[in-house]
Amino acid sequence: MGIDQVRWGVVATGNISTSFTKDLALLDDAVVTAVASRSQDSANAFAETFGIEHRFDDYRRLIDSGTVDALYIGTPHPQHYAIARAALQAGIAVLCEKPVTLTARQAEDLVAVARETNTLFAEAMWMRTNPVVQAMFADLEKGVIGEPMEALADFGFHKPVLPARLLDPALGGGSLMDGGIYPMTFVQMALGRPDEVKAVGSLNADGIDLNVAMAWRYDSGAVAALTCGLRSQNPWTASVSGPDGSLLLPHRFHHPPYYVRSTAAGEERIDVETHGLGYHYEAAEVMRALRAGLVECPVLPHAATIEILELLDETRRQIGVRYPGDDEYLGG
Amino acid sequence: MGIDQVRWGVVATGNISTSFTKDLALLDDAVVTAVASRSQDSANAFAETFGIEHRFDDYRRLIDSGTVDALYIGTPHPQHYAIARAALQAGIAVLCEKPVTLTARQAEDLVAVARETNTLFAEAMWMRTNPVVQAMFADLEKGVIGEPMEALADFGFHKPVLPARLLDPALGGGSLMDGGIYPMTFVQMALGRPDEVKAVGSLNADGIDLNVAMAWRYDSGAVAALTCGLRSQNPWTASVSGPDGSLLLPHRFHHPPYYVRSTAAGEERIDVETHGLGYHYEAAEVMRALRAGLVECPVLPHAATIEILELLDETRRQIGVRYPGDDEYLGG
């Protein structure tokens, strides 16, 4: 009854996989049937914690096991591409953490494989499926602020000791790939694809971006300013403004507690009910698309995934950030 | 008793001169003794409203009249340079609206004339003298958020019918010279002079910038993102962030009602008492400096005025905005 209750496999056992698996328990029509880690001990421990039947020490063994309908990939960025490609080629639906690949070219290849094999592929850009974010964008669509003409988004945080992964070029570290992708996605949702992009970045000795600021311009007349960083506790908000007002997502705008609508009617705080940590919304979208026989989730569109990676490519080019896996391309 | 009660002259009779003159009435040790307009009728009407003794149809006649110790210049931007230069050469202290000139070269010339004639010269960047802004920056100096590493500032507004001046190249129109100078000043106060500047702009058919976004980078590792615009009702806030938190000036950050300090201790709204419209603070600074025999107000430093104009020059160069008066240079 795989499609009544979608059988999920989880690859990697870190924080993000833990959060995703916890949230998946909120969905009656989902079950995690398998987990894979490079360490059998980690796979076993994760499986014990969440009552998962199958545990593997290699993602390929999970893919070949025939125990799952959909795969969630929560590994560090550089491993996404090969795992997602293998799953898609095996006809297993893929929900892959963002950024799905290190380059737009790799993402294009995954989309091509998904279409060739008629297999669902989606980027785990959970912000797009968040009910508060969706309500705010529904307001924008309704025209409550008029035609959007400016967007601002900031994703900056700091910890005395940052996770080593964030500072490791071999793991796709830096503020841009982990944090910057959110303001970029917000602005792309608000204003579309920019016609001109300029970026500045502050890199550490390993060539990893610790701080990035971006200025985007649109032929429509709109502009946007974006930042991301690992050196400061920023307001971490996002807004879009038009002639009639602005819509703002407050602190931790990628999974915000409410949004703020400012128009001639005044400033209103709009509360929208949410559940769990917020990762099950993307999983529910994947299952909905899977049942509808789609290769693409309407709210997690392939074109947006590729577009954001093109913007990441260009931004990294301008600020001089390269990763060991940049050139890796498994496609035909 | 010119120095017990500083005698002010006001050049131009528009909104900003009106606001300034209203505020000056809050200061016991200031009196407006003269006003000049290109129209004698306007000068007379303004003088009647505020009880001003002398009224002139030409700023040169006011300067030659010997009736003032200090001159406030509230004309459109392109007229500032010639008027300020004439006043300084006559030994009259000058408080000139921002931007004091269209180019850094012109501002450098005015500073040189001020120093040669030992005459006080100050840019009317009222934000620098605002008590809320000053309290916020005092917190920053105290290190409550650690070393500042990121700043964000946005000055965007829209009106169905914008003042014609803002859209007139001959009057130094556009969002940058009127609005952008505020976020640029905020970020310069927070982080200093950037080591790299990138800007994008959306211009109208007359070559006037309606929307600008900027990304600044510092060798310290800091970055900043700035916007200004005339097409949308933006949040219009400014913030500076460090490893230990952020300081934020809310809506209309250039004369804010309070500021917000976010640290490990939580988020605190800090109220600071202010009076009037806020223009008398800059006038009081001028009078304090005048009595101390200075050519420069410590909180309105010449170097900052020139630096911001250099950044405006560079930003206009990048986005392609030129004014008829750009090349005007009266210096020796």
Side-chain angles (χ1 to χ4, degrees):
Chain A
M1 307 301 96
I3 215 72
D4 288 336
Q5 195 169 47
V6 173
R7 299 172 306 162
W8 285 85
V10 171
V11 178
T13 55
N15 289 337
I16 186 73
S17 294
T18 300
S19 297
F20 180 81
T21 304
K22 275 184 188 164
D23 260 4
L24 216 58
L26 300 173
L27 301 177
D28 289 339
D29 55 353
V31 60
V32 181
T33 50
V35 59
S37 169
R38 281 180 300 189
S39 146
Q40 185 69 54
D41 284 350
S42 292
N44 291 343
F46 194 89
E48 290 305 320
T49 301
F50 294 107
I52 299 168
E53 188 177 356
H54 307 285
R55 8 359 251 267
F56 301 97
D57 66 354
D58 189 302
Y59 72 85
R60 281 164 294 221
R61 293 188 53 228
L62 189 160
I63 288 171
D64 294 341
S65 68
T67 59
V68 304
D69 307 305
L71 196 67
Y72 170 79
I73 303 171
T75 64
H77 315 325
Q79 301 161 27
H80 293 170
Y81 179 43
I83 302 170
R85 201 169 202 278
L88 292 171
Q89 287 185 316
I92 296 171
V94 167
L95 175 62
C96 182
E97 267 308 324
K98 51 89 209 156
V100 289
T101 51
L102 295 178
T103 66
R105 188 175 181 222
Q106 293 164 350
E108 281 167 3
D109 174 61
L110 290 186
V111 167
V113 174
R115 295 190 177 276
E116 279 161 25
T117 60
N118 199 32
T119 306
L120 182 85
F121 170 61
E123 182 174 33
M125 178 40 84
W126 66 316
M127 186 181 78
R128 288 185 187 272
T129 65
N130 180 284
V132 184
V133 174
Q134 290 191 333
M136 195 220 81
F137 279 100
D139 249 11
L140 183 68
E141 279 292 308
K142 266 189 279 174
V144 297
I145 62 164
E147 188 189 351
M149 275 293 150
E150 203 156 313
L152 302 162
D154 146 45
F155 192 102
F157 67 90
H158 178 74
K159 293 176 180 171
V161 180
L162 288 164
R165 177 183 69 76
L166 283 178
L167 299 174
D168 188 345
L171 297 180
S175 67
L176 201 52
M177 296 298 257
D178 258 75
I181 194 169
Y182 287 110
M184 292 167 85
T185 297
F186 176 88
V187 175
Q188 190 263 1
M189 291 171 77
L191 299 174
R193 185 197 191 95
D195 296 295
E196 187 181 7
V197 167
K198 288 187 178 180
V200 297
S202 169
L203 314 190
N204 71 6
D206 295 328
I208 281 298
D209 55 295
L210 298 180
N211 257 346
V212 179
M214 293 168 256
W216 291 6
R217 188 192 59 75
Y218 293 80
D219 290 343
S220 69
V223 296
L226 309 81
T227 57
C228 56
L230 301 172
R231 307 196 65 166
S232 46
Q233 306 273 24
N234 286 21
W236 200 336
T237 62
S239 66
V240 52
S241 305
D244 303 326
S246 69
L247 297 165
L248 180 139
L249 299 174
H251 190 63
R252 297 199 190 166
F253 74 83
H254 63 309
H255 59 127
Y258 58 89
Y259 73 97
V260 180
R261 182 200 294 142
S262 299
T263 63
E267 188 178 299
E268 290 172 88
R269 171 185 162 140
I270 318 280
D271 285 282
V272 179
E273 204 179 347
T274 60
H275 305 284
L277 299 168
Y279 296 97
H280 56 101
Y281 297 115
E282 58 186 9
E285 292 294 343
V286 164
M287 297 199 294
R288 192 171 300 133
L290 199 55
R291 292 191 171 99
L294 305 176
V295 297
E296 182 174 15
C297 289
V299 298
L300 299 165
H302 292 164
T305 292
I306 292 168
E307 195 168 306
I308 295 293
L309 271 161
E310 285 170 347
L311 293 165
L312 281 166
D313 285 354
E314 172 59 17
T315 303
R316 289 202 292 125
R317 189 191 66 73
Q318 288 190 23
I319 68 175
V321 172
R322 290 192 53 74
Y323 299 122
D326 271 2
D327 299 323
E328 187 187 327
Y329 177 61
L330 311 176
Chain B
M1 306 301 95
I3 215 71
D4 288 337
Q5 197 169 48
V6 172
R7 300 172 306 162
W8 285 85
V10 171
V11 179
T13 56
N15 288 338
I16 187 73
S17 294
T18 300
S19 298
F20 180 82
T21 304
K22 276 183 186 163
D23 261 3
L24 216 58
L26 300 172
L27 302 176
D28 289 339
D29 54 353
V31 61
V32 181
T33 51
V35 59
S37 169
R38 281 178 301 189
S39 146
Q40 185 71 53
D41 285 350
S42 293
N44 290 343
F46 194 89
E48 290 306 320
T49 302
F50 295 106
I52 298 168
E53 189 176 356
H54 308 285
R55 342 44 226 266
F56 302 97
D57 66 356
D58 190 304
Y59 71 85
R60 281 163 295 221
R61 293 189 54 231
L62 189 159
I63 288 169
D64 294 341
S65 69
T67 59
V68 304
D69 307 305
L71 195 68
Y72 170 79
I73 303 171
T75 65
H77 316 324
Q79 300 162 27
H80 293 170
Y81 179 43
I83 302 170
R85 201 169 203 278
L88 291 170
Q89 287 185 315
I92 295 169
V94 168
L95 175 63
C96 182
E97 266 310 323
K98 52 88 212 157
V100 289
T101 51
L102 295 178
T103 66
R105 189 177 179 221
Q106 292 165 349
E108 281 166 4
D109 174 60
L110 289 185
V111 167
V113 173
R115 295 190 177 275
E116 279 159 27
T117 60
N118 200 32
T119 306
L120 183 87
F121 171 62
E123 182 174 33
M125 177 41 82
W126 64 318
M127 185 181 80
R128 289 185 187 274
T129 65
N130 180 284
V132 184
V133 174
Q134 292 191 331
M136 195 221 82
F137 278 101
D139 250 9
L140 183 67
E141 278 292 308
K142 267 189 280 174
V144 298
I145 62 164
E147 188 188 351
M149 276 292 149
E150 203 155 314
L152 302 161
D154 145 47
F155 193 102
F157 67 91
H158 178 74
K159 293 175 179 170
V161 180
L162 289 163
R165 177 183 68 76
L166 283 179
L167 300 173
D168 189 344
L171 296 180
S175 67
L176 202 53
M177 295 298 255
D178 258 74
I181 194 170
Y182 287 109
M184 293 167 84
T185 297
F186 176 87
V187 175
Q188 190 262 0
M189 290 171 78
L191 299 174
R193 185 196 191 98
D195 296 294
E196 187 181 7
V197 167
K198 289 187 178 180
V200 296
S202 168
L203 314 190
N204 71 6
D206 295 328
I208 281 297
D209 55 294
L210 298 180
N211 257 345
V212 180
M214 294 169 255
W216 291 5
R217 188 192 61 73
Y218 293 80
D219 291 343
S220 70
V223 297
L226 308 82
T227 57
C228 57
L230 301 171
R231 306 196 68 166
S232 46
Q233 305 274 23
N234 286 22
W236 200 335
T237 62
S239 66
V240 52
S241 305
D244 303 326
S246 69
L247 297 164
L248 181 139
L249 298 173
H251 190 62
R252 299 201 188 163
F253 74 82
H254 63 310
H255 59 124
Y258 59 87
Y259 73 96
V260 180
R261 182 201 294 144
S262 300
T263 63
E267 189 177 297
E268 290 171 88
R269 172 185 161 140
I270 318 279
D271 284 281
V272 179
E273 204 178 347
T274 60
H275 306 284
L277 300 168
Y279 296 96
H280 55 100
Y281 298 116
E282 59 187 7
E285 292 293 343
V286 164
M287 296 198 294
R288 192 170 301 133
L290 199 54
R291 291 189 173 100
L294 305 176
V295 297
E296 181 175 15
C297 290
V299 298
L300 299 165
H302 292 164
T305 293
I306 293 169
E307 195 169 305
I308 295 292
L309 272 161
E310 286 170 347
L311 293 165
L312 282 165
D313 285 354
E314 171 60 17
T315 302
R316 289 203 292 125
R317 188 190 67 73
Q318 289 191 22
I319 68 175
V321 172
R322 290 192 52 74
Y323 299 122
D326 271 3
D327 299 324
E328 187 187 325
Y329 177 61
L330 311 177

